[in-house]
Amino acid sequence: MRFNPITILRKKTANTHDMPPKEKLPRHIAFIMDGNGRWATKRGLPRSAGHAAGTEALREIIRTCSDIGIESMSIYAFSTENWGRSAEEVGALMKLISRYFVSEIDELNEKNVKITIMGELDPFPEEQKASLVNAMEITKANTGLKLNIALNYGGRAEIVRAARLLAQSCADGMLKPSEISGEKLSELMYTAGQPDVDLLIRTGGDERVSNFMLWQGWYAELIFEKTYWPDYSKATLIKNLNEYASRERRFGKVKK
Ligand code: IPE
Ligand code: IPE
Ligand code: MG
C-alpha cells in the first residue's frame, strides 16, 4: 500500500458484500473508467489529478480480477474521440499512460497477466509506442488474466479494420464472401480467442457505451455505476459482481 495523498483521498471503508461463487462470475469484464475529471473538479483539483487517481483504482481492480480468476478484463483508457480534449489534458494523459507502463509492467508480469493493446498505435510518439509494444512482448506467454487496454480505441474503428482485412482476403482469393461469419469477424478483433464481454461496467453515472467493444459486447450485461472511477474499489466491484450474479441471461431464448 502506498501512502501518497491520492491513496488517502481514495481510501474508504470496505463494505461486507461477499464475492459470488466462481461459477456465477463473468469470464470477461469490460470497464469504461469514467468520471476522473468530475472527481477532480469536485475537489478543486485539475482534471489530470483525477486521471492520476484513476490509476490507483485501476491497480486495485486489476489485482482483484487477477486474484479471483477472471479470464479477461478490458479497460477503456483513451478513445479515438478523446483526442478532441484540450492539448493540456491529452498531454497529461499521454504522460500518465507512459509512466503507467513503466511502473506497472514488472508487477503485471509477475502476476502472470497477459497484456493486449487494443487500438491504432501509429499516432503515438515512437518512444511511447515502443513501451506499449514491449509490454505486449514481455507478457505474451503469460497464462493468467488477459488484460486488454484500449488506447486510441474505437469500437467502430475495430469493426472497420476487421472488414478491411476480410475484404483484402477476398480480393486475394483466400476467402469467399459466403465464408464470412461472426466467428471469422471475432477472430479479427483485438480480443481474438477470448470470450465475448459478459459484463460491461461504466462508472461515473452516464448511461451509454461510448464506442466501446461494440462487437464483443453484443450480449453483455450492463451496469452503470454512479461512483466516479477514482473512487471505484474492490468493494464496489464485489457489489457489481453480485448484481451480475443475480441477473438472468437469456440470449434471446425464454426462461427455462
Ligand atoms: C474518463 O474520465 C477517463 C478518460 C476519458 C481518459 P473523464 O476524463 O471522461 O472524466 P469525466 O467524465 O469528465 O468526469
Ligand atoms: C469514455 O469516456 C472513454 C474513456 C473512459 C476512455 P468519455 O468521457 O470520453 O465518454 P463520453 O464522451 O462522455 O461519452
Ligand atoms: Mg467522461
Side-chain angles (χ1 to χ4, degrees):
M1 185 66 142
R2 280 175 219 192
F3 287 98
N4 68 27
I6 281 168
T7 309
I8 290 158
L9 267 179
R10 287 193 61 241
K11 209 166 156 44
K12 64 174 190 187
T13 48
N15 67 30
T16 51
H17 285 284
D18 289 321
M19 202 66 84
K22 176 88 176 115
E23 68 277 9
K24 289 271 192 185
L25 290 176
R27 293 176 67 194
H28 188 162
I29 314 180
F31 291 93
I32 300 179
M33 309 183 290
D34 198 24
N36 293 350
R38 280 165 285 167
W39 181 93
T41 305
K42 213 174 85 183
R43 289 166 172 76
L45 298 168
R47 293 177 58 84
S48 56
H51 298 312
T55 64
E56 295 279 322
L58 181 58
R59 183 177 293 123
E60 181 173 323
I61 298 311
I62 293 174
R63 196 180 298 141
T64 306
C65 285
S66 164
D67 290 348
I68 64 175
I70 298 295
E71 258 175 80
S72 289
M73 167 176 175
S74 297
I75 52 173
Y76 210 0
F78 194 87
S79 75
T80 45
E81 289 72 37
N82 288 148
W83 294 108
R85 298 190 177 195
S86 74
E88 190 191 352
E89 183 169 352
V90 171
L93 276 164
M94 290 300 141
K95 244 191 221 139
L96 206 62
I97 290 165
S98 294
R99 272 197 229 130
Y100 180 82
F101 278 90
V102 173
S103 67
E104 302 297 310
I105 188 69
D106 288 344
E107 189 187 328
L108 292 173
N109 197 24
E110 263 163 41
K111 275 204 152 297
N112 201 19
V113 171
K114 179 178 174 162
I115 296 174
T116 298
I117 310 288
M118 308 195 285
E120 180 51 65
L121 296 187
D122 277 345
F124 293 100
E126 276 313 313
E127 200 183 323
Q128 194 171 0
K129 217 161 78 179
S131 74
L132 302 175
V133 172
N134 182 49
M136 288 197 272
E137 191 57 32
I138 291 179
T139 63
K140 75 173 179 211
N142 288 351
T143 54
L145 175 70
K146 293 186 179 71
L147 176 65
N148 310 308
I149 306 179
L151 287 172
N152 187 27
Y153 173 88
R156 282 194 169 194
E158 184 182 28
I159 295 169
V160 167
R161 173 178 168 269
R164 282 205 186 114
L165 291 167
L166 287 172
Q168 192 61 55
S169 297
C170 290
D172 294 344
M174 310 286 288
L175 186 74
K176 294 194 197 93
S178 60
E179 290 169 342
I180 295 175
S181 61
E183 287 74 27
K184 281 258 166 4
L185 259 110
S186 288
E187 282 167 26
L188 293 170
M189 299 294 151
Y190 294 111
T191 48
Q194 299 183 36
D196 285 325
V197 174
D198 296 303
L199 170 61
L200 173 67
I201 298 172
R202 181 182 185 131
T203 60
D206 285 324
E207 302 192 351
R208 56 178 169 267
V209 172
S210 300
N211 202 12
F212 194 44
M213 303 190 85
L214 302 180
W215 180 264
Q216 302 89 334
W218 70 313
Y219 255 105
E221 293 296 324
L222 308 179
I223 291 185
F224 298 107
E225 170 62 49
K226 286 204 163 45
T227 308
Y228 294 143
W229 178 256
D231 284 330
Y232 196 83
S233 65
K234 181 175 175 178
T236 333
L237 176 62
I238 294 172
K239 181 190 78 173
N240 292 160
L241 288 173
N242 276 286
E243 160 73 28
Y244 171 82
S246 75
R247 297 221 185 145
E248 184 190 75
R249 303 186 74 194
R250 289 190 292 277
F251 298 96
K253 302 179 183 71
V254 290
K255 195 177 174 190
K256 279 197 194 123

